[in-house]
Amino acid sequence: MKTYDTSDIRNVALIGHKNSGKTSLAEALLFAGKQTNRLGSIQEHNTVMDFEAEEQRREMSIQLGVGFVEHQKRKLNFVDTPGEPNFFFSVQQALAVCEGAVLVISASDGVQASAEKAFNLAREHGLACAVFVSKIEREQVDFTKVLADLRENLSPQAVALQLPIGAEADFTGVVDLVERKALTYKKDGSGSATVGEVPAEMKDAVETARAKLIEEVASADDALLEKFLEAGELSEQEMLAGLQKGIGSGKLVPVLCGSSTANIGAAPVLDLIADAFPSPADRGAVAGLTTDSEAKEVEIARDPAQPFVGYVFSTYADQMGIINCCRVFRGAAMPDTAVLNTSRNSKERFGSLVALVGKKHEPHPGPACGDIFAVVKLKDSRTGDTLTVERGNVKVRGPAVPSAAITFAVRGKSKGDEDKIGQGLNKLAFEDPSLFYGVDPRSKDTLVSGVGQVHIEVALEKLKRRTGLEVELLPPKVPYRETIRKKVQNVEGKHKKQTGGRGQFG
């Protein structure tokens, strides 16, 4: 692959509630962008993004999946996030390194609490946002009701950019409201679509929805609003320009729809991201801290000409060793370069740099400012760390690690496994900062703590797969600080105290 200019890079997080279809959309985007030659399936356990055995067994994401496509001469980086609330820290890390987010909503489920939480966090970060309504082919799905739900419970700026053609089993494509064209897809999963006229029975609904879209686009830009009030219409070019400005400013949240498992509607998502989402060059400085004892707040300019500053947003182990996924916030990363981990004050050295598509590695010649890459076999670096050229004195202020909410005692099923269990948990905690372990000095139990029970269970599944160790989860013991030591009889005591008046007697 080649090195892309900062203005030609798009970093997008796929967020949403559990089982909303985020990973299925990621698979469809990779296939539509010709990055993969098949459409992965959650049910068949062959997706590119969910490659861990625990993810495939549970049929849900438990860590960040990273991939990219080259589309319209631009590089689109995708970060697929877990929807399970136990792994929300990963969502926070993904949003910290992206300029945009696509919220995936299951048409049959509507807006769920975890989806709303992720969307609100994306808006707090100032990210450009769009919504993809998935699973349109499901029974008893009404896109109009879903759109009303989005506007009422998520954002009043949500506006349809497409309308579905057909419903339930007869869903065959979408109508583009900007260009007034119908995209009818083959039902073979190829993603191949025919461009045609809007179906006659949909023309009235399309014109009504298009008028609403024009009104929302015009409201996001004063110049367009003035022209709209004068002429009552906007050209396609003006609508596209207004969409780009409105999405970038957060005044518009376009809503698209489709079926990821049938590969319907993925290509328009790629077009929207490439055409209307902001690049890293469009964002201001990132918040940071100095590494001295005072830890003063500083702004790290996203300047390609200044020395390199990168941020590790995900760490995991594969057959090649520890993989650190990084985002370049300043300067550029180069292979075979000495760097400093300013979070730990330790020296590291980049070997070869790679671009990731799931667990597949592709050599990267040198990520530019704003790009996402991965590096293998760093010694001490992990999620949340900042990497700079040597003598760097700043670090990126990333999301705070969540405090542990639940603790279990861990006991091996075989005697003498305590040391091995400790070593295995240490490696897991290296990958996941929100997982904690230690030994209680009073009860001598090995304790493991995390965000929730699912979080801990998944960690122990990894431990078993990697080390072969089987452990039991037990409630932690509560040590008694006072103990009855012996029996006594006929004990009598008197309490007398004169405090004025009648005094005290017992």
Side-chain angles (χ1 to χ4, degrees):
M1 68 172 298
K2 66 178 185 179
T3 297
Y4 283 80
D5 291 336
T6 303
S7 59
D8 291 328
I9 296 171
R10 304 289 185 270
N11 298 311
V12 178
L14 304 180
I15 60 177
H17 59 87
K18 182 180 176 182
N19 295 326
S20 62
K22 300 179 298 301
T23 300
S24 295
L25 176 60
E27 296 295 315
L29 295 175
L30 293 173
F31 185 71
K34 296 181 172 54
Q35 182 60 255
T36 58
N37 56 15
R38 63 171 174 78
L39 188 65
S41 168
I42 300 291
Q43 289 70 33
E44 295 178 9
H45 303 165
N46 61 2
T47 59
V48 173
M49 291 298 205
D50 285 353
F51 55 86
E52 290 275 20
E54 293 74 29
E55 294 177 309
Q56 295 172 357
R57 188 180 71 81
R58 290 175 175 264
E59 296 187 352
M60 70 176 191
S61 300
I62 62 174
Q63 64 183 22
L64 298 180
V66 179
F68 75 94
V69 300
E70 297 173 281
H71 187 70
Q72 295 184 6
K73 298 183 179 180
R74 290 174 175 149
K75 184 177 184 230
L76 280 52
N77 293 314
F78 299 107
V79 184
D80 180 28
T81 68
E84 164 61 51
N86 277 256
F87 305 103
F88 190 73
F89 179 60
S90 294
V91 180
Q92 294 176 287
Q93 290 288 358
L95 295 177
V97 298
C98 291
E99 285 74 44
V102 174
L103 176 70
V104 183
I105 294 290
S106 169
S108 55
D109 296 332
V111 178
Q112 302 290 304
S114 54
E116 184 178 359
K117 182 179 179 181
F119 179 81
N120 290 338
L121 183 61
R123 296 302 290 265
E124 288 175 16
H125 280 281
L127 271 60
C129 294
V131 176
F132 181 79
V133 181
S134 68
K135 306 180 183 181
I136 290 291
E137 77 283 3
R138 294 286 180 90
E139 293 182 358
Q140 298 182 339
V141 164
D142 186 336
F143 180 73
T144 303
K145 290 182 179 179
V146 176
L147 185 61
D149 185 22
L150 291 170
R151 292 182 64 86
E152 180 180 355
N153 298 310
L154 198 69
S155 171
Q157 286 84 33
V159 59
L161 201 60
Q162 300 171 337
L163 290 184
I165 300 174
E168 299 183 0
D170 295 326
F171 172 62
T172 57
V174 297
V175 173
D176 185 320
L177 297 179
V178 175
E179 300 184 6
R180 286 194 183 100
K181 65 182 182 183
L183 300 174
T184 305
Y185 288 78
K186 293 182 179 180
K187 289 195 172 183
D188 57 1
S190 65
S192 179
T194 302
V195 180
E197 298 293 324
V198 176
E201 67 274 13
M202 291 186 65
K203 286 188 176 180
D204 289 344
V206 167
E207 291 305 313
T208 300
R210 191 173 190 275
K212 176 65 175 175
L213 175 61
I214 292 174
E215 182 181 336
E216 293 289 344
V217 170
S219 299
D221 183 88
D222 292 340
L224 288 178
L225 180 59
E226 185 176 346
K227 181 168 184 180
F228 173 66
L229 293 175
E230 292 177 356
E233 182 63 79
L234 295 177
S235 67
E236 289 182 12
Q237 291 73 20
E238 289 168 335
M239 289 182 69
L240 290 172
L243 271 172
Q244 183 180 29
K245 189 169 184 177
I247 293 171
S249 65
K251 295 180 180 179
L252 279 179
V253 181
V255 181
L256 302 91
C257 60
S259 170
S260 300
T261 54
N263 201 9
I264 297 177
V269 177
L270 292 179
D271 291 337
L272 179 70
I273 293 171
D275 292 336
F277 270 47
S279 75
D282 299 322
R283 294 292 299 273
V286 63
L289 298 169
T290 60
T291 56
D292 54 31
S293 58
E294 296 181 2
K296 298 178 182 176
E297 294 187 0
V298 294
E299 290 189 340
I300 304 172
R302 303 174 194 245
D303 188 348
Q306 291 192 34
F308 165 75
V309 173
Y311 178 75
V312 180
F313 65 92
S314 179
T315 303
Y316 66 92
D318 73 356
Q319 66 276 10
M320 294 186 67
I322 295 294
I323 308 293
N324 284 291
C325 301
C326 306
R327 158 70 193 262
V328 183
F329 276 115
R330 192 179 73 187
M334 297 301 295
D336 300 317
T337 305
V339 295
L340 177 69
N341 184 325
T342 57
S343 302
R344 304 183 186 280
N345 194 29
S346 61
K347 292 183 179 181
E348 298 275 19
R349 186 171 188 85
F350 286 164
S352 59
L353 306 181
V354 297
L356 292 177
V357 180
K359 64 178 179 180
K360 185 180 76 173
H361 301 174
E362 183 174 330
H364 203 311
C369 184
D371 205 353
I372 285 174
F373 70 101
V375 60
V376 184
K377 297 180 181 178
L378 295 181
K379 296 182 299 181
D380 300 319
S381 301
R382 62 194 77 177
T383 301
D385 288 355
T386 299
L387 304 172
T388 72
V389 292
E390 290 202 57
R391 297 184 301 279
N393 62 346
V394 296
K395 58 183 179 181
V396 176
R397 189 171 61 185
V401 177
S403 301
I406 190 170
T407 299
F408 285 96
V410 177
R411 183 174 64 193
K413 290 188 176 181
S414 301
K415 291 185 178 180
D417 284 345
E418 289 78 8
D419 290 342
K420 294 179 181 179
I421 291 172
Q423 293 170 5
L425 290 174
N426 181 58
K427 292 180 180 179
L428 292 175
F430 186 91
E431 299 175 35
D432 182 359
S434 60
L435 185 72
F436 307 91
Y437 85 99
V439 176
D440 189 320
R442 298 162 298 181
S443 67
K444 308 303 180 184
D445 282 342
T446 298
L447 304 180
V448 59
S449 305
V451 177
Q453 185 166 343
V454 173
H455 183 205
I456 294 176
E457 288 175 351
V458 167
L460 296 183
E461 287 173 13
K462 282 187 179 181
L463 179 69
K464 180 181 178 181
R465 173 169 58 86
R466 295 180 182 181
T467 65
L469 296 172
E470 292 195 37
V471 299
E472 295 177 305
L473 281 180
L474 304 168
K477 296 177 183 176
V478 179
Y480 292 102
R481 293 184 179 275
E482 295 183 1
T483 303
I484 298 174
R485 299 176 60 187
K486 61 182 180 179
K487 292 182 179 180
V488 294
Q489 292 179 343
N490 301 324
V491 174
E492 181 178 334
K494 292 183 180 179
H495 168 75
K496 295 181 180 180
K497 187 174 183 181
Q498 189 64 42
T499 59
R502 299 178 62 184
Q504 298 176 355
F505 178 83

